[in-house]
Amino acid sequence: MSQVSIFDSETPLPDDGLARRAKTLLGFDARYARVHDQLRLLLNVGELASWNKLHHGGRLTLCDLVAEQYPLVIFHGDVGTGKTAVAECMANRLVAEARSEDSTLFKLSNRVRGSGMVGEMGTLIADAFKKVVQSAGKHRRAILVIDEGDSLAAARSQQYSHHEDKVAVNTLIQCVDDLRQYGGRIVVFLCTNRLSALDAALQRRAAIIEEFRRPSDEERRQLLSMDLAALSLNSAQIGQLVTATGPRSGQPTWTYSDIRTRLYPAALARAYPKDPLRFEHLYEIATTLRASPIMEDK
């Protein structure tokens, strides 16, 4: 397997496409504001010594403790709640605000699980981190996003955990540990549907753990109003769509992904090519499709 296939994408930052995408993520600004200070500190721990000297004469010893934190952020929550998209857009905005050119966002591929050969998964994980480190060099930044993190970092204590999986988790932990020497210039975002499935050692290392939930009625109303603005639907029609995408008949609330990747395409398919998209198309689909099942975190 070539190194190229270790990553699904390698995106130079800042990226205009990610900046535009952030504007379509409902609640992104509020979530970003909530974790911004911690993230900014995480990406600048290498400058803490100078800050300590300037403001505290170098006597604030807790700076040494903070500087030792692991550059790991965990986003967890149900499927389709936007964890990976938010991670990518947050990374992009942080780099843009820092005016740090020549940065790269890496998205790890599930192909690092390999083909089952002995030692392959651990080797591929190590290779991926090596490339990220090389990209950062001595002065640049690199951010690694790991999607479906529980598939690579499942708890080693689980009875069904194979030797290869345990080796891979050990490798991942060691790689995260090694990143501390880069003073925050390399950060890992690990996204998972099941926080409890992650190895405890990784959970302990996370500088930030942020939960993502399915959208509330008001959040779905805002999403539908934003996405369907060109249709000029009235408030009652939007309200009917909000109700239709809420919990009903024992089914859970729709996720963001359910609305954008299932409802909209199916409704468009009803209208295209002869008719304009109408409320009736959307409502018919919304009342017949079912929400994605909840991914239980046990």
Side-chain angles (χ1 to χ4, degrees), residues 74-193:
I74 294 178
F75 285 171
H76 70 98
D78 207 352
V79 295
T81 50
K83 300 179 292 295
T84 304
V86 168
E88 294 172 347
C89 291
M90 277 192 179
N92 188 57
R93 184 172 291 188
L94 282 164
V95 167
E97 288 180 352
R99 297 181 180 178
S100 175
E101 302 295 332
D102 201 15
S103 302
T104 304
L105 172 67
F106 294 88
K107 186 174 179 182
L108 193 66
S109 169
N110 275 333
R111 288 186 292 271
V112 295
R113 288 197 61 84
S115 58
M117 294 176 58
V118 176
E120 184 181 19
M121 182 159 53
T123 298
L124 290 174
I125 291 173
D127 287 346
F129 273 81
K130 182 178 179 181
K131 185 167 183 180
V132 170
V133 168
Q134 289 174 339
S135 173
K138 294 183 179 180
H139 305 290
R140 299 182 296 276
R141 291 187 184 277
I143 298 174
L144 175 63
V145 173
I146 302 176
D147 199 7
E148 299 181 18
D150 45 289
S151 68
L152 294 179
R156 291 165 292 181
S157 60
Q158 295 177 356
Q159 290 184 345
Y160 53 84
S161 180
H162 299 294
H163 173 71
E164 286 299 297
D165 295 325
K166 293 179 179 179
V167 170
V169 175
N170 288 337
T171 302
L172 182 60
I173 291 172
Q174 185 59 57
C175 287
V176 169
D177 289 356
D178 291 343
L179 293 184
R180 286 188 294 176
Q181 64 185 292
Y182 298 100
R185 290 189 298 108
I186 305 175
V187 174
V188 176
F189 283 84
L190 188 149
C191 304
T192 177
N193 299 327

Side-chain angles (χ1 to χ4, degrees), residues 3-249:
Q3 266 199 339
V4 175
S5 64
I6 295 175
F7 301 103
D8 283 333
S9 60
E10 300 176 34
T11 307
L13 299 180
D15 178 73
D16 290 340
L18 286 174
R20 290 192 297 271
R21 189 180 186 188
K23 295 178 181 179
T24 71
L25 297 176
L26 194 67
F28 174 80
D29 288 338
R31 191 183 294 273
Y32 182 78
R34 184 165 61 250
V35 301
H36 171 264
D37 290 348
Q38 281 184 279
L39 279 172
R40 182 177 56 186
L41 181 61
L42 190 62
L43 269 70
N44 291 280
V45 293
E47 300 175 11
L48 268 182
S50 298
W51 176 87
N52 187 12
K53 184 176 181 180
L54 175 65
H55 294 283
H56 301 281
R59 298 186 300 275
L60 193 62
T61 56
L62 64 82
C63 285
D64 295 331
L65 299 175
V66 174
E68 285 297 308
Q69 68 181 331
Y70 299 90
L72 174 64
V73 178
I74 294 178
F75 285 171
H76 70 98
D78 207 352
V79 295
T81 50
K83 300 179 292 295
T84 304
V86 168
E88 294 172 347
C89 291
M90 277 192 179
N92 188 57
R93 184 172 291 188
L94 282 164
V95 167
E97 288 180 352
R99 297 181 180 178
S100 175
E101 302 295 332
D102 201 15
S103 302
T104 304
L105 172 67
F106 294 88
K107 186 174 179 182
L108 193 66
S109 169
N110 275 333
R111 288 186 292 271
V112 295
R113 288 197 61 84
S115 58
M117 294 176 58
V118 176
E120 184 181 19
M121 182 159 53
T123 298
L124 290 174
I125 291 173
D127 287 346
F129 273 81
K130 182 178 179 181
K131 185 167 183 180
V132 170
V133 168
Q134 289 174 339
S135 173
K138 294 183 179 180
H139 305 290
R140 299 182 296 276
R141 291 187 184 277
I143 298 174
L144 175 63
V145 173
I146 302 176
D147 199 7
E148 299 181 18
D150 45 289
S151 68
L152 294 179
R156 291 165 292 181
S157 60
Q158 295 177 356
Q159 290 184 345
Y160 53 84
S161 180
H162 299 294
H163 173 71
E164 286 299 297
D165 295 325
K166 293 179 179 179
V167 170
V169 175
N170 288 337
T171 302
L172 182 60
I173 291 172
Q174 185 59 57
C175 287
V176 169
D177 289 356
D178 291 343
L179 293 184
R180 286 188 294 176
Q181 64 185 292
Y182 298 100
R185 290 189 298 108
I186 305 175
V187 174
V188 176
F189 283 84
L190 188 149
C191 304
T192 177
N193 299 327
R194 298 183 300 143
L195 179 65
S196 63
L198 290 184
D199 192 86
L202 269 176
Q203 293 189 49
R204 289 195 302 270
R205 281 164 168 76
I208 300 170
I209 296 180
E210 178 80 358
E211 183 180 9
F212 287 65
R213 296 181 179 179
R214 296 194 178 209
S216 65
D217 287 356
E218 181 56 32
E219 287 169 335
R220 294 198 312 285
R221 183 183 301 278
Q222 292 177 26
L223 182 74
L224 291 161
S225 297
M226 175 175 62
D227 291 348
L228 304 176
L231 300 184
S232 299
L233 302 183
N234 59 47
S235 59
Q237 290 172 320
I238 292 293
Q240 286 180 270
L241 292 175
V242 169
T243 299
T245 56
R248 54 184 171 84
S249 303

